[in-house]
Amino acid sequence: MRPVVEAHGLDVGMGRARLLHDVGLAVVPGERIALVGHNGAGKSTLLRALSGFAEVRRGSLRVMDTALDRKLSPASMRHLRRRVAFVHQGLHLVDRASALDNVLVAAAGRLRSPLTWMRRWPAAERCSAMAALDRVGMAWSASRRTDTLSGGERQKVAIARALHQNAPIVLADEPTASLDVHAAEEVVDMLSAIVTEHGATLLCAIHDLSLVARLAERAIVLRHGRVVADISVGSSTSSHLRRLMQ
């Protein structure tokens, strides 16, 4: 099976800083992968590189049919980002917009009509966005401004937006940050179930090692910008990962 993500000798930098060093990995369709490591290990940088937001300095990186080790045209970048959904750590929701409008934004990449800038979306897109909110248990919030929702509820809206994008690859950057234990478990279970239902590939940076087994079937450990371990997830994974991160 051909990988949907493939990197060889990958170096990624920002300014004078070198953030990833000689990274190699291959991800096949449908895999659920947790990226773990201490703060500054390179988890978020790797996710940004996979979505075209970080500069590849050396080596090769391919995401589906897009090579990211060369300069992309605006059209190629739009093509990539239509196929890669990103649940950002900061959520990137528009506080003053409704939950439904925030989810509908995910359709902007496949629609060219200027009417979308005035929040005039095709009926089929509105139905699909409502179905995505319903899938994450947030249909009741469709008309509510997102700045009136709790942290866990906002995270669910962000997941619904990724679901509405209908992308074959989903990237998530610390989706449980700042959530209590119950909300974190609920979000992880929901994210894992949704990508599995849709046959999508998931790469998720996560800091809570106790959640890795609920989220992923494979874990990649980063330390100081390098991949130091790539293991299958099992019942004793959290203690094993803790040792590998030391």
Side-chain angles (χ1 to χ4, degrees):
M1 187 179 296
R2 186 183 182 191
V4 291
V5 173
E6 195 168 14
H8 299 283
L10 176 67
D11 284 12
V12 172
M14 181 179 296
R16 295 185 177 181
R18 191 176 169 200
L19 304 177
L20 291 180
H21 310 265
D22 196 29
V23 169
L25 76 158
V27 181
V28 298
E31 277 196 290
R32 290 176 290 113
I33 297 175
L35 304 176
V36 301
H38 295 297
N39 290 339
K43 306 183 300 294
S44 296
T45 299
L46 179 55
L47 292 177
R48 287 198 298 271
L50 296 177
S51 56
F53 285 109
E55 178 188 356
V56 174
R57 295 279 178 84
R58 191 175 67 178
S60 64
L61 175 61
R62 182 180 57 79
V63 176
M64 303 193 77
D65 57 355
T66 302
L68 290 169
D69 46 30
R70 63 196 67 174
K71 186 174 178 59
L72 296 182
S73 67
S76 295
M77 189 63 77
R78 286 194 300 271
H79 174 71
L80 170 70
R81 291 178 180 162
R82 280 197 300 268
R83 307 179 76 189
V84 178
F86 206 139
V87 181
H88 293 269
Q89 185 171 354
L91 300 184
H92 288 213
L93 299 179
V94 181
D95 286 343
R96 298 179 63 184
S98 70
L100 180 60
D101 281 332
N102 270 281
V103 173
L104 281 163
V105 167
R110 57 179 175 261
L111 298 174
R112 294 298 183 90
S113 172
L115 294 177
T116 60
W117 291 96
M118 296 180 282
R119 301 182 185 177
R120 294 176 62 182
W121 302 89
E125 292 292 348
R126 296 184 71 85
C127 288
S128 176
M130 276 300 303
L133 280 172
D134 185 55
R135 174 62 185 83
V136 300
M138 293 295 293
W140 60 270
S141 72
S143 61
R144 291 273 298 272
R145 282 175 41 152
T146 55
D147 58 2
T148 68
L149 304 177
S150 70
E153 290 166 347
R154 287 166 58 84
Q155 191 62 269
K156 291 177 186 177
V157 172
I159 292 172
R161 182 175 58 188
L163 174 59
H164 182 53
Q165 187 173 335
N166 197 29
I169 297 176
V170 177
L171 309 178
D173 192 3
E174 301 284 6
T176 63
S178 304
L179 300 183
D180 61 39
V181 173
H182 174 73
E185 290 177 347
E186 188 178 17
V187 163
V188 161
D189 290 346
M190 184 177 296
L191 186 58
S192 179
I194 286 173
V195 296
T196 300
E197 288 170 14
H198 291 262
T201 302
L202 173 68
L203 289 97
C204 178
I206 191 162
H207 68 280
D208 188 341
L209 300 183
S210 68
L211 296 173
V212 170
R214 302 175 79 122
L215 175 74
E217 58 198 357
R218 177 180 164 196
I220 294 175
V221 183
L222 291 107
R223 186 194 305 149
H224 303 308
R226 298 181 185 274
V227 172
V228 297
D230 186 340
I231 64 172
S232 297
V233 170
S235 58
S236 60
T237 295
S238 60
S239 57
H240 188 193
L241 289 174
R242 200 168 284 109
R243 290 193 297 271
L244 290 170
M245 289 167 55
Q246 292 176 349

